[in-house]
Amino acid sequence: MSEHLYIPVDQLNPGFQQLIPGGANILYTTRAEVLKRGFGAHKKSGFVVVTDKGIAFHAAKTGLFDVSLVSMASGALAGFIPWANIQKLGNYKDKIQVKHTLTDNPKKKLEWFFKCERCKDQGEEKKEFEARKKGFGPFVETLYKQNK
């Protein structure tokens, strides 16, 4: 098992199995805040899974202090972004910015922010998380450059 699986794979939302392409190796799992940018922008809390084929995410919970009616009313934010579809990846240490095209519609572009969150339910201590979150962006950026 990878040292970067902060959420055990069997504890992830079962919907992840449908999002991740067959044969993909899961390299990193974490709780995360997922922010969709653009028209109808909103954010939710959930999970991010980084694989050798791309980034999967599923976020359904609205934050306690997130008062956006759009975020509360919308369904889950979920998807899979293949490395090949990413046009720009911004590394901000504890979060990444991903601008990408859709596989079935290359003219349509989307933008997301994924911010690494502490995995309290897995017993992650605050001090451990402070050290880990600094490595989230660099880890994903390295994979992106390898698979570009």
Side-chain angles (χ1 to χ4, degrees), residues 12-82:
L12 292 168
N13 181 305
F16 266 115
Q17 301 309 318
Q18 297 169 351
L19 294 172
I20 299 170
N25 294 317
I26 295 175
L27 306 172
Y28 197 111
T29 61
T30 187
R31 292 198 60 76
E33 178 182 270
V34 177
L35 170 66
K36 179 183 176 192
R37 296 283 308 250
F39 184 74
H42 50 284
K43 68 180 174 181
K44 295 195 177 211
S45 182
F47 303 94
V48 168
V49 174
V50 180
T51 76
D52 58 343
K53 300 197 186 286
I55 301 169
F57 59 96
H58 187 278
K61 287 176 51 179
T62 306
L64 182 62
F65 299 107
D66 199 0
V67 294
S68 167
L69 293 176
V70 173
S71 289
M72 289 176 15
S74 70
L77 301 175
F80 182 80
I81 306 167

Side-chain angles (χ1 to χ4, degrees), residues 103-116:
T103 303
D104 58 346
N105 184 0
K107 292 183 180 182
K108 185 168 182 172
K109 296 179 175 102
L110 295 176
E111 181 179 4
W112 300 89
F113 279 92
F114 302 108
K115 183 176 182 182
C116 181

